[in-house]
């Protein structure tokens, strides 16, 4: 009986370690993809705007810094939204008596989420102000179109990838 428990415990530990390893690998893969998209954006932006070497040397560090700061804010925003969902999921829609602790936490999360969203917009505004000083009027106009087209293209690619995941693979013909 003791051997069966040991084997069962070892199996649980083995599978748990495998699951954690898979989560770590998935997180690393997401980070790598985020970095690749960032690099692709900078390369395409350089081409679309015909940036000079001097402009590139000034813009890249600022662009990277702002994107990193926004990513940190977006992670915190996601964490808080998940907590908000959890709190709301635990509350029946017909609850008559408000819970002071929960109401306070909901109000705090709503305020914090709003603040983070404003910070993200402020980062975008700071980057736009910086680029306005660094780019010629022609490059500014091209940048506006570049942003729209790049984001639409990225959205299209993500939609295609999601579509592939949702559909089952075609059977292999022999």
């Amino acid at each position: 009986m003791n051997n069966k428990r040991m084997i069962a415990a070892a199996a649980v530990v083995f599978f748990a370690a495998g699951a954690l390893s898979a989560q770590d690998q998935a997180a690393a893969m997401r980070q790598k993809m985020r970095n690749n998209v960032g690099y692709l954006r900078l390369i395409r932006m350089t081409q679309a705007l015909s940036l000079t070497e001097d402009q590139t040397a000034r813009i890249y560090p600022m662009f990277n810094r702002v994107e990193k700061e926004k990513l940190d804010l977006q992670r915190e925003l996601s964490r808080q939204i998940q907590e908000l969902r959890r709190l709301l999921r635990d509350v029946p829609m017909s609850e008559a008596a408000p819970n002071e602790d929960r109401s306070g936490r909901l109000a705090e999360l709503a305020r914090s989420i709003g603040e983070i969203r404003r910070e993200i917009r402020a980062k975008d505004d700071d980057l736009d102000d910086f680029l306005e000083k660094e780019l010629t009027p022609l490059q500014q106009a091209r940048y506006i179109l570049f942003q729209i087209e790049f984001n639409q293209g990225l959205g299209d690619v993500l939609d295609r990838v999601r579509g592939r995941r949702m559909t089952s693979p075609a059977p292999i013909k022999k």
Side-chain angles (χ1 to χ4, degrees):
M1 197 65 148
N2 222 1
N3 283 340
K4 287 183 181 179
R5 285 186 184 168
M6 291 292 287
I7 291 172
V12 167
V13 169
F14 176 76
F15 288 120
L20 288 175
S21 175
Q23 288 175 351
D24 290 344
Q25 288 175 353
M29 182 63 91
R30 281 191 303 273
Q31 182 61 43
K32 184 177 180 181
M33 288 186 67
R34 239 183 250 115
N35 289 342
N36 287 344
V37 169
Y39 297 142
L40 178 63
R41 179 185 303 268
L42 288 172
I43 290 168
R44 291 238 176 116
M45 185 175 75
T46 301
Q47 293 169 339
L49 307 183
S50 300
L51 295 177
T52 66
E53 286 183 30
D54 289 340
Q55 286 175 312
T56 302
R58 289 188 305 271
I59 291 171
Y60 275 30
M62 175 67 163
F63 201 90
N64 285 328
R65 183 181 60 79
V66 168
E67 289 300 315
K68 182 187 179 309
E69 291 170 358
K70 282 176 41 181
L71 181 60
D72 292 342
L73 288 168
Q74 288 165 344
R75 283 184 181 140
E76 179 60 21
L77 179 66
S78 293
R79 189 191 66 72
Q80 290 188 16
I81 289 172
Q82 285 176 346
E83 183 177 351
L84 182 66
R85 283 189 176 125
R86 184 187 55 77
L87 285 173
L88 291 175
R89 188 174 39 244
D90 295 343
V91 178
M93 290 298 282
S94 62
E95 184 176 276
N99 179 321
E100 289 294 323
D101 290 339
R102 187 175 22 229
S103 294
R105 183 64 184 141
L106 288 172
E108 180 184 325
L109 280 170
R111 181 202 51 75
S112 180
I113 287 169
E115 180 60 33
I116 292 171
R117 292 176 68 204
R118 282 187 289 281
E119 286 181 53
I120 291 170
R121 283 193 300 270
K123 298 282 180 203
D124 285 332
D125 291 344
D126 290 346
L127 182 60
D128 287 346
D129 292 344
F130 175 78
L131 289 175
E132 191 173 303
K133 294 173 188 163
E134 295 294 326
L135 300 176
T136 67
L138 177 63
Q139 288 173 322
Q140 290 173 23
R142 285 182 177 164
Y143 178 71
I144 291 168
L145 295 179
F146 166 78
Q147 285 289 87
I148 293 167
E149 292 167 2
F150 186 86
N151 290 333
Q152 284 176 341
L154 186 59
D156 292 345
V157 168
L158 290 173
D159 287 344
R160 281 196 310 269
V161 168
R162 286 182 190 126
R164 287 186 195 144
R165 277 192 209 148
M166 290 181 180
T167 60
S168 58
I172 297 174
K173 295 181 181 178
K174 293 183 179 182

